Amino acid sequence: MSDASKPNPAGSGDVPPVKKADESAAQKAAGAPQPAPVSAPAVPAAPAEPKPKVPFSPVLLKHIHEPGSHTLAHYAARGGYETARSHVGVTPPGDLIKLVDDSGLRGRGGAGFPTGKKWSFLAKGTGKPIYLAINGDESEPGTFKDRYLLEKDPHQLVEGAILTCYAIGSKHAFIYLRGEFILGFQRLHAAVEEAKAKGYVGKKIFGTGSRGDASPEVDLTITVVRGAGAYICGEETGMLSSIEGGRGYPKIKPPFPAVSGLFGCPTIVNNVETISAVTHIVKHGVAWHKQWGTEKSPGFKIFCLSGAVRKPGVYEVPLGITMREMIDTYGGGMKDGRKLKAVIPGGLSAPVLTAEMVDKATLDYESLASLGSMLGSGGITVLDEQVDMISTIYNTMRFYHHESCGQCTPCREGTGWLEKVSHRFHHNQGHQGDIELLGDIAKNMRGRTICVLADAAAMPMQGFLQHFRKDFEAKVKETAFVEKQRTYRDEITPTAKTITATGAGPSALDVGSNGSKG
Amino acid sequence: MSTQSTVARRTEFSPERMAKFHEYAEEYPNKRSALMMVLRLAEEEFGSITDEAMEIVAGLCNVAVSHVQGMVTFYTHFKRPFHGKHRFMVCATLMCALENNTDAALDQIKAKLGIKPGQRTHDGLFSCEKVECLADCDQPPVVQCDNEHFCSMKGAVLDQYLDKLLKEEGKSAAEYAAKAPVAMDTRVPTLPAHYNFQGGTEKGARHFDDKDPYFKAGEGDLHTQVPGPLATPLTVPVADGVNGKGTVSNGRSGHDSAGGAFNGNGANGKNGAKHV
């Protein structure tokens, strides 16, 4: 139950650490125009020219295995809060927004929306306060990256929040964590208190307004909110409803949160990982961030590996590496030498990839989109040949039915239907028409609801129907076999009685037979 | 229950939690928005969110009791009176369910405590339920109990933990094997008796149709159970230490046992003795 028992340290020895010399070389390399993906010629969207490979060592997860990494003392010793100190009150906020925009950082929560662009959509001059809401309600099954960031390096997030609030002109940040993050909540709460005591959070942070450099006063409050176990609160407007003290019901968009969000005020919603990355991008600059990744997905991202691999865990890698590299090199290959059957690439809601597609896939937003799936939150689940796809989809549908908030009929009813019908398959009761029924329900759920939970439930179902239809058809055959046996049994029972003539009395098999009374 | 109407009703938490509430009230833009955190305070104070707790929260946050009740029934992580004192939450989502990890953990709990998911022991000390993803998918199965988080919770580790809890309560596995468990009835009317609320048959939206032949009664999850007759509300023994116990995380977390130094929540660790 301790760190040592973690089967794999994130970013374990497979990647050489970045040295100073490498970094300068990397800066030069990044200056080259239009970097292209590292590898994967099979990706249709990839430009032909390969980009020189820059060594990468974990950034966000660099210190998580050091004891006491969650304390301010540890964070300050590695240069913590220096970036915020040097920028807050000094750099014009517009420059910071431009810097993040130029860096090409994309939201790490699932949708992959460019962060700088989101910040620039913020409604200005409304006279209302501006809020920052940081989404730590990481509930997509298969994703557990935020847990590490919150438990092991909360100050990194707090510093990112300070910089972001300064950039967007917010005086109040909310960090919403899911209720299940017990240690994460305690650590983050303690981190905010520590930062408050040091004057990094609160009134006139970093001594602005009184340090003799004509900097304006900057105030900031950071509030940590603990949720209580609702997947829907991971949806941005659902989270805002929850912070406002209501059920986590998503709100209709537009108006987008950047115009009317928390308490009807302009609000920026970002993921924990995104805000943590902001700290490093502001510190090291645009070129540094762009030396990794692909043209459209620059930078690095944390991936969460689970399922049938030898070393499951969190791995921070540059975007654009191949899925095979992730599974074989980082994950240590398949567990017990089993054969790979399928991969769910971006949390449970991402459509499944077959073994052939896995060979083509690279880990960036565009490649997975071109394969009909998505990068999502970066939760990669590897399914081996022993896994029954029907029970997998039943389990998935049960999850979404349980978590549907119930506002919109297509989702509330649709997820229930999907669960029931896949339950039928699971228990050998599915018929041929049910396969079409599943596809029909899934199709009619998409794009008809306030939030994307209905899509998130329908997408995996459509993926499974498309790629593993054979498994469903096999189940239909099984059902037919079972039913035929039942009919046969019902028919022969009286005959069998007369033949044996043992006087065994009415057979128990007669009871409840379908429609053969009299 | 009938005794409730005779006892003078409280309108506030204990002083140190009231101080915490005033902190929240100052920090949040309005009192309603502090609800999530105030409900956590109520959970700490009463061991679970009882009718009385809901009323107090409604009064403090300036909302209707029905709104608070709506919140409590929407969010599944809040502890309710029908849960056991030690509430086992076993993750049943795909990543944990692969390779039968969830079932292994549930079987072990069944062997020691005699309870299946959706049930609690006859004395109300332990309850068990399947929950959805607890976000630690690399180390299945994940279990939460008593505000603590455990991963890779099977085999000897889980058995040791169960034995520890049994010993703390002075109970034995044999007792629970002999006495039949009770189904957790989520339909316990939660509005207080003096509201003259005669309902109590509100049928949870998540119950399946009783006539659906594919669902058997008592098969497992809370939401697939066919509801039976309404049970009498449970009285959980609150006297010794439920209050303090629920909140203290003594560093025994799945990830880190070195982090016991946390004391950010102020009231942690000293609650037990104050309000009984």
Side-chain angles (χ1 to χ4, degrees), chain A residues 14-247:
Chain A
D14 300 321
V15 189
V18 175
K19 297 186 191 87
K20 283 274 177 274
D22 289 340
E23 224 165 85
S24 60
Q27 298 277 3
K28 246 182 269 168
Q34 300 307 324
V38 179
S39 51
V43 181
E49 198 182 318
K51 179 178 138 179
K53 203 164 184 170
V54 183
F56 176 80
S57 75
V59 177
L60 301 172
L61 297 177
K62 193 173 179 183
H63 299 282
I64 62 166
H65 289 283
E66 295 164 15
S69 62
H70 59 281
T71 57
L72 180 59
H74 191 283
Y75 190 64
R78 49 186 150 104
Y81 291 108
E82 287 310 314
T83 317
R85 190 194 300 279
S86 58
H87 283 94
V88 171
V90 181
T91 316
D95 288 10
L96 283 181
I97 295 180
K98 190 171 180 301
L99 187 130
V100 173
D101 198 10
D102 289 346
S103 76
L105 175 67
R106 292 174 67 166
R108 303 298 193 220
F113 193 80
T115 306
K117 200 173 266 177
K118 191 188 258 184
W119 292 2
S120 60
F121 286 157
L122 196 66
K124 291 171 197 78
T126 55
K128 291 179 185 168
I130 295 167
Y131 290 110
L132 172 67
I134 300 174
N135 190 341
D137 190 275
E138 175 182 59
S139 6
E140 188 69 41
T143 318
F144 40 94
K145 60 190 174 65
D146 294 350
R147 173 186 286 284
Y148 285 84
L149 293 173
L150 293 162
E151 290 180 0
K152 304 293 185 181
D153 216 343
H155 282 285
Q156 185 175 255
L157 173 66
V158 174
E159 186 172 4
I162 294 169
L163 285 165
T164 309
C165 280
Y166 174 67
I168 62 175
S170 165
K171 285 183 173 20
H172 199 157
F174 288 89
I175 308 179
Y176 186 92
L177 308 188
R178 63 181 305 195
E180 288 88 340
F181 285 173
I182 297 162
L183 185 67
F185 174 75
Q186 293 170 345
R187 291 259 171 96
L188 182 63
H189 192 278
V192 172
E193 292 297 319
E194 275 182 312
K196 229 184 243 174
K198 283 271 182 185
Y200 304 157
V201 174
K203 297 260 173 220
K204 300 182 188 172
I205 57 172
F206 298 108
T208 43
S210 58
R211 58 185 185 195
D213 55 1
S215 56
E217 283 177 19
V218 181
D219 299 342
L220 174 63
T221 311
I222 295 184
T223 305
V224 187
V225 189
R226 188 174 166 204
Y231 171 77
I232 195 64
C233 294
E235 204 276 342
E236 55 177 358
T237 50
M239 181 184 81
L240 298 180
S241 296
S242 186
I243 296 175
E244 286 167 1
R247 291 180 159 214

Side-chain angles (χ1 to χ4, degrees), chain B residues 4-255:
Chain B
Q4 277 179 343
S5 50
T6 55
V7 179
R9 304 197 69 82
R10 293 168 57 187
T11 51
E12 286 198 337
F13 297 137
S14 58
E16 71 263 37
R17 292 212 181 79
M18 280 310 289
K20 201 93 192 121
F21 165 75
H22 289 304
E23 252 176 58
Y24 292 143
E26 223 166 86
E27 190 165 340
Y28 285 82
N30 56 45
K31 283 182 180 172
R32 182 186 189 262
S33 58
L35 248 176
M36 291 298 282
M37 299 307 283
V38 178
L39 279 169
R40 288 288 179 188
L41 284 182
E43 207 181 15
E44 283 176 22
E45 175 103 6
F46 292 90
S48 68
I49 298 184
T50 57
D51 306 342
E52 193 182 3
M54 279 195 244
E55 275 192 60
I56 295 176
V57 170
L60 290 176
C61 293
N62 209 10
V63 292
V65 185
S66 59
H67 180 80
V68 179
Q69 193 185 11
M71 295 276 285
V72 172
T73 49
F74 184 83
Y75 295 98
T76 52
H77 205 258
F78 289 126
K79 198 166 163 185
R80 306 272 304 280
F82 53 76
H83 292 125
K85 179 180 164 191
H86 304 287
R87 176 191 180 194
F88 280 91
M89 294 183 267
V90 184
C91 176
T93 309
L94 182 64
M95 290 77 195
C96 280
L98 287 174
E99 303 184 14
N100 289 333
N101 281 313
T102 303
D103 291 346
L106 289 173
D107 287 348
Q108 276 177 273
I109 292 172
K110 173 94 168 67
K112 291 269 182 196
L113 306 174
I115 42 175
K116 287 197 291 185
Q119 293 180 333
R120 64 165 188 251
T121 53
H122 67 277
D123 51 10
L125 283 176
F126 298 94
S127 69
C128 177
E129 67 205 272
K130 284 187 193 173
V131 296
E132 300 300 348
C133 191
L134 294 171
D136 221 339
C137 315
D138 55 339
Q139 300 164 84
V142 188
V143 176
Q144 290 200 340
C145 181
D146 292 356
N147 219 10
E148 290 182 57
H149 177 94
F150 306 97
C151 32
S152 305
M153 196 62 166
K154 56 179 174 177
V157 191
L158 178 55
D159 272 341
Q160 272 171 20
Y161 182 69
L162 286 166
D163 285 338
K164 192 198 99 188
L165 285 185
L166 281 170
K167 204 176 157 198
E168 269 176 26
E169 296 294 343
K171 298 280 177 180
S172 69
E175 185 191 330
Y176 290 126
K179 275 210 162 185
V182 199
M184 273 196 284
D185 197 334
T186 56
R187 297 174 303 147
V188 171
T190 44
L191 278 181
H194 68 266
Y195 271 72
N196 200 16
F197 177 70
Q198 297 297 325
T201 50
E202 49 158 329
K203 207 167 179 179
R206 303 215 189 276
H207 290 299
F208 284 104
D209 187 355
D210 306 20
K211 293 188 185 70
D212 189 334
Y214 309 126
F215 289 90
K216 292 189 210 89
E219 200 180 53
D221 318 24
L222 276 177
H223 72 281
T224 57
Q225 281 202 350
V226 178
L230 198 70
T232 45
L234 172 80
T235 44
V236 181
V238 183
D240 27 306
V242 178
N243 294 335
K245 181 76 186 70
T247 58
V248 183
S249 178
N250 44 15
R252 207 174 132 34
S253 145
H255 279 306

Side-chain angles (χ1 to χ4, degrees), chain A residues 281-501:
Chain A
I281 290 168
V282 172
K283 187 173 180 181
H284 298 287
V286 172
W288 173 84
H289 184 247
K290 280 202 159 176
Q291 62 184 312
W292 298 293
T294 65
E295 186 194 339
K296 285 185 177 167
S297 311
F300 40 84
K301 172 155 178 39
I302 304 174
F303 288 92
C304 318
L305 204 51
S306 60
V309 288
R310 277 206 193 94
K311 298 190 291 174
V314 281
Y315 294 99
E316 190 175 10
V317 297
L319 284 162
I321 71 160
T322 60
M323 181 71 93
R324 274 287 171 196
E325 190 184 347
M326 174 53 80
I327 294 169
D328 296 337
T329 312
Y330 293 91
M334 297 295 290
K335 199 189 261 177
D336 308 333
R338 291 178 212 162
K339 217 176 134 222
L340 186 144
K341 188 174 188 180
V343 168
I344 301 172
L348 203 54
S349 60
V352 66
L353 301 178
T354 58
E356 300 84 65
M357 292 157 83
V358 167
D359 296 335
K360 285 186 239 166
T362 61
L363 294 176
D364 55 75
Y365 295 95
E366 287 72 31
S367 160
L368 288 172
S370 71
L371 289 169
S373 188
M374 60 181 195
L375 187 70
S377 53
I380 300 170
T381 304
V382 181
L383 306 176
D384 62 71
E385 58 194 344
Q386 297 177 2
V387 174
D388 173 21
M389 293 321 232
I390 301 297
S391 47
T392 302
I393 195 68
Y394 166 56
N395 192 304
T396 309
M397 290 306 125
R398 195 204 58 210
F399 173 80
Y400 285 107
H401 180 214
H402 183 261
E403 298 297 349
S404 172
C405 82
Q407 268 194 117
C408 319
T409 312
C411 175
R412 184 184 63 239
E413 301 299 319
T415 50
W417 273 78
L418 287 181
E419 185 197 350
K420 277 193 180 186
V421 178
S422 51
H423 185 277
R424 253 185 244 167
F425 279 101
H426 185 57
H427 287 258
N428 285 333
Q429 307 272 3
H431 293 87
Q432 184 61 43
D434 288 340
I435 302 179
E436 280 73 48
L437 181 63
L438 283 173
D440 197 36
I441 299 165
K443 193 179 123 209
N444 284 307
M445 280 165 74
R446 295 194 64 173
R448 299 215 156 100
T449 50
I450 291 174
C451 81
V452 291
L453 193 141
D455 297 63
M459 279 191 297
M461 179 50 89
Q462 290 180 326
F464 271 77
L465 284 175
Q466 190 183 343
H467 301 305
F468 293 97
R469 202 181 176 89
K470 275 193 185 134
D471 293 57
F472 286 90
E473 278 163 358
K475 276 282 181 187
V476 169
K477 274 186 195 149
E478 229 169 284
T479 306
F481 179 72
V482 169
E483 289 189 347
K484 197 175 170 192
Q485 276 206 322
R486 197 183 294 149
T487 323
Y488 178 66
R489 185 196 64 197
D490 294 343
E491 279 169 0
I492 65 159
T493 310
T495 331
K497 238 193 296 182
T498 47
I499 289 172
T500 53

